[in-house]
Structure formats: C-alpha cells, structure tokens
Amino acid sequence: MPQAKGTLSVDIDELGISGQLPVTGLKGKFVFNGSNIGVSALRFGVGNKGAVEIQENLSELQSANSTVSLKGIAQGFTLEQLMDILGSSAKVKGGATEIALNLRSSGISLHQLPGKANGAVRIAIAEGVLDASIVNAGGDLLSTVVNAVNPMRKRADQTTLECAVAYLPLNNGEIILNNSFGVVH
C-alpha cells in the first residue's frame, strides 16, 4: 500500500448488504498517494432514507505518527427510520435527525486513535415520540437527562420530544460534558 498512487472512483446505484437495508447512490473518490489515502465527498443513502457525506484523510501510514481526519454529516432521515435501519423494536415516531462530526487523531494503532481524538460530534433531533424502552436502554446519562426534563416519564409508555441537541467536543479522547445537552419536552 505505501507505494500505491492513483485514484479510484466509485459510483454504485445500489449495494445490497445481507440482512441490512441497501446502500444507495454510493459515490466517491479514493486518492492513493504513497502513505496517504484520501476519501473525498463519499456520499450514500441507506434504503433511500436520508444521505451521508464523508470526507476522510489518512496520512503517514507507515510512520509512528499516522494521522486520521474525518468529517461527515448524516441528514434527511428521522429517528424512526434510524431505529428501523438498526432493527430496533422500540417504537419511535418522527424525530428528524442530523448528525455531524469533525474528528482528527494520530497514533500507531487502532487502540491509540480514539484516545487521542480531538474535534466534535453534534446530534440534533426534532419533534418525535419515543418509546420508554429507548430511554431506559440509553443508560444512566440519557435516563437522568430525560427524567430531569420530565419527572413523570416513568408513569408513561412514551415520551414526547420537541427537540434535543447534543454537542460533544473531544479533547485527547475525552468527551467534555459541560452544557452539552439540550432537551425540550
């Protein structure tokens, strides 16, 4: 791989993955230049439900200081559709969702990369109705946030969500949770 030079363009109408919704409209360009690999504007949909666009760069793959940068956005789908894609049995209605990320890291192993990650992840969810099982499965943090917004939640099978936003900045692999969540119920 360190001697590869060239470009690989991908344009696939539909890519079937066993047991999953098909990946649709897969387009992008992979650029190989020695120990650097770049992916520019890789775009695809999942079962015609929204779109994902990713840009990635791997550099200095053969050195002790390999770097990875990843930018991406997923939009045009709902939390309900995402739960269907993931095969969840939880009942969700609506919830237009957008996920954006901008991450950079370096290291010599897949283990080191998350520990040195810097950047941010942003998640925004618009109006929807969530089954109580989603909140319960989300762990202590999600339960605490939702209980603070709706103390009566445990008495209901569903939680109505007006909107939710999470901004998760990373600094050397640590997620900094300081005024990072906003939920309107």
Side-chain angles (χ1 to χ4, degrees), residues 8 29-33 36-40 55-58:
L8 173 65
K29 185 189 291 186
F30 296 80
V31 178
F32 302 91
N33 187 10
N36 299 327
I37 301 172
V39 178
S40 61
Q55 294 180 357
E56 171 274 335
N57 189 49
L58 299 168

Side-chain angles (χ1 to χ4, degrees), residues 3 22 25 38 59 111 116 122 135 141 148 171 180:
Q3 295 181 14
S59 59
H111 179 73
K116 292 184 172 186
R122 180 182 49 82
V135 176
L141 177 62
N171 186 11
S180 294

Side-chain angles (χ1 to χ4, degrees), residues 8 44-45 48 74 85-86 94 114 155 169 182:
L8 173 65
F44 60 90
N48 295 320
I85 290 169
L86 297 174
R155 296 185 189 161

Side-chain angles (χ1 to χ4, degrees), residues 154-167:
K154 292 184 179 179
R155 296 185 189 161
D157 293 338
Q158 297 179 331
T159 296
T160 302
L161 178 69
E162 201 169 307
C163 70
V165 177
Y167 178 74

Side-chain angles (χ1 to χ4, degrees), residues 136-156:
N136 296 335
D140 292 340
L141 177 62
L142 184 58
S143 293
T144 301
V145 169
V146 173
N147 286 340
V149 173
N150 180 9
M152 306 302 285
R153 174 191 73 83
K154 292 184 179 179
R155 296 185 189 161

Side-chain angles (χ1 to χ4, degrees), residues 40-76:
S40 61
L42 180 65
R43 294 182 178 106
F44 60 90
V46 180
N48 295 320
K49 295 179 180 180
V52 177
E53 183 173 328
I54 298 171
Q55 294 180 357
E56 171 274 335
N57 189 49
L58 299 168
S59 59
E60 302 301 322
L61 294 176
Q62 301 299 319
S63 77
N65 196 26
S66 298
T67 61
V68 177
S69 63
L70 178 66
K71 293 181 181 181
I73 189 163
Q75 59 189 355

Side-chain angles (χ1 to χ4, degrees), residues 87-180:
S88 173
S89 62
K91 294 183 184 193
V92 177
K93 300 276 190 238
T97 301
E98 181 176 288
I99 302 168
L101 56 95
N102 185 356
L103 302 172
R104 183 173 176 83
S105 187
S106 63
I108 58 173
S109 70
L110 289 176
H111 179 73
Q112 274 190 348
L113 291 174
K116 292 184 172 186
N118 292 295
V121 176
R122 180 182 49 82
I123 303 167
I125 304 171
E127 187 175 342
V129 178
L130 310 176
D131 189 48
S133 66
I134 288 179
V135 176
N136 296 335
D140 292 340
L141 177 62
L142 184 58
S143 293
T144 301
V145 169
V146 173
N147 286 340
V149 173
N150 180 9
M152 306 302 285
R153 174 191 73 83
K154 292 184 179 179
R155 296 185 189 161
D157 293 338
Q158 297 179 331
T159 296
T160 302
L161 178 69
E162 201 169 307
C163 70
V165 177
Y167 178 74
L168 307 171
L170 281 89
N171 186 11
N172 288 323
E174 293 183 7
I175 298 174
I176 299 141
L177 299 176
N178 184 13
N179 296 320
S180 294

